[in-house]
């Protein structure tokens, strides 16, 4: 039997997934079912764009419900109790700057299910996170990125 993939995430990330799942089950699913019922009442389904649109949305909603249930079933909450306070690890927020003199950037390193770079959350699977994890405040790190390497200095870890 194949080993299931685990989904590391913060407690906050797990709560957001649980809230999304509840919304999909209790709000979106019933709305889509109602739209399908109304579209069916229009008659001929072969050229009924409302029906096709509602069926497409139903497919998306059911797929997302299944995906979230799977991620929650195999979720692993990040625990940093055994990691030094100044060491970069999953769940922590790290501030670094590209050397020699770029502006500081701050990101929280999260599981891929929570990743949202535009809102300051990068996946632990990203090249930047992989390069920073395990290093400490004050260290200069050479990070392998898709188009070469980047030299950064870790300024702060929270």
């Amino acid at each position: 039997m194949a080993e299931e993939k685990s989904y590391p995430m913060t407690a906050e990330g797990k709560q957001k997934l649980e809230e999304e799942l509840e919304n999909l089950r209790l709000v979106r699913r019933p709305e889509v079912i109602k739209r399908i019922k109304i579209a069916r009442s229009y008659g001929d389904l072969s050229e009924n764009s409302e029906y096709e649109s509602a069926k497409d949305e139903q497919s998306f909603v059911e797929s997302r419900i299944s995906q979230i249930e799977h991620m929650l079933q195999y979720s692993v909450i990040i625990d940093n109790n055994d990691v030094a306070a100044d060491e970069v690890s999953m769940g922590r927020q790290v501030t670094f700057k590209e050397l020699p003199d770029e502006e500081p950037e701050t990101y929280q390193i999260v599981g891929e299910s929570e990743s949202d770079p535009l809102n300051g959350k990068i996946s632990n699977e990203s090249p930047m996170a992989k390069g920073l994890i395990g290093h400490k405040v004050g260290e200069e790190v050479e990070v392998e990125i898709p188009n070469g390497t980047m030299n950064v200095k870790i300024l702060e870890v929270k």
Side-chain angles (χ1 to χ4, degrees):
M1 184 174 201
E3 187 174 315
E4 290 293 336
K5 178 181 181 185
S6 65
Y7 295 89
M9 59 184 71
T10 62
E12 175 190 346
K14 184 174 182 178
Q15 180 180 350
K16 284 183 179 181
L17 280 177
E18 289 169 341
E19 289 168 3
E20 181 182 354
L21 180 61
E22 183 175 344
N23 180 57
L24 288 169
R25 285 179 175 161
L26 302 178
V27 178
R28 295 271 311 271
R29 183 186 269 164
E31 286 174 353
V32 171
I33 291 170
K34 185 177 179 181
R35 281 184 51 213
I36 290 171
K37 195 176 203 179
I38 291 168
R40 277 189 178 148
S41 72
Y42 297 152
D44 184 13
L45 300 181
S46 65
E47 293 187 24
N48 187 331
S49 63
E50 290 88 355
Y51 178 76
E52 288 300 320
S53 174
K55 289 299 281 183
D56 287 346
E57 186 175 352
Q58 181 184 40
S59 176
F60 170 79
V61 168
E62 295 304 324
S63 175
R64 184 67 180 148
I65 287 171
S66 179
Q67 179 185 37
I68 293 172
E69 287 173 341
H70 181 79
M71 290 184 340
L72 290 173
Q73 181 179 359
Y74 296 101
S75 65
V76 176
I77 302 300
I78 299 163
D79 178 15
N80 285 320
N81 292 334
D82 297 335
V83 180
D86 65 342
E87 184 176 328
V88 179
S89 65
M90 277 190 63
R92 296 225 170 122
Q93 190 174 63
V94 59
T95 302
F96 61 89
K97 71 175 187 171
E98 185 178 355
L99 298 173
D101 57 2
E102 293 292 321
E103 291 294 313
E105 297 178 49
T106 301
Y107 293 99
Q108 181 181 14
I109 300 175
V110 295
E112 65 183 309
S113 63
E114 295 177 76
S115 179
D116 186 0
L118 296 177
N119 288 312
K121 295 182 177 192
I122 60 173
S123 166
N124 63 311
E125 299 293 323
S126 72
M128 182 57 71
K130 284 181 177 179
L132 294 174
I133 289 176
H135 293 280
K136 296 184 177 193
V137 172
E139 287 186 34
E140 292 183 11
V141 181
E142 185 173 276
V143 178
E144 294 290 329
I145 55 175
N147 58 347
T149 59
M150 173 189 256
N151 293 310
V152 300
K153 181 173 184 173
I154 301 171
L155 303 175
E156 182 179 33
V157 174
K158 292 188 204 177

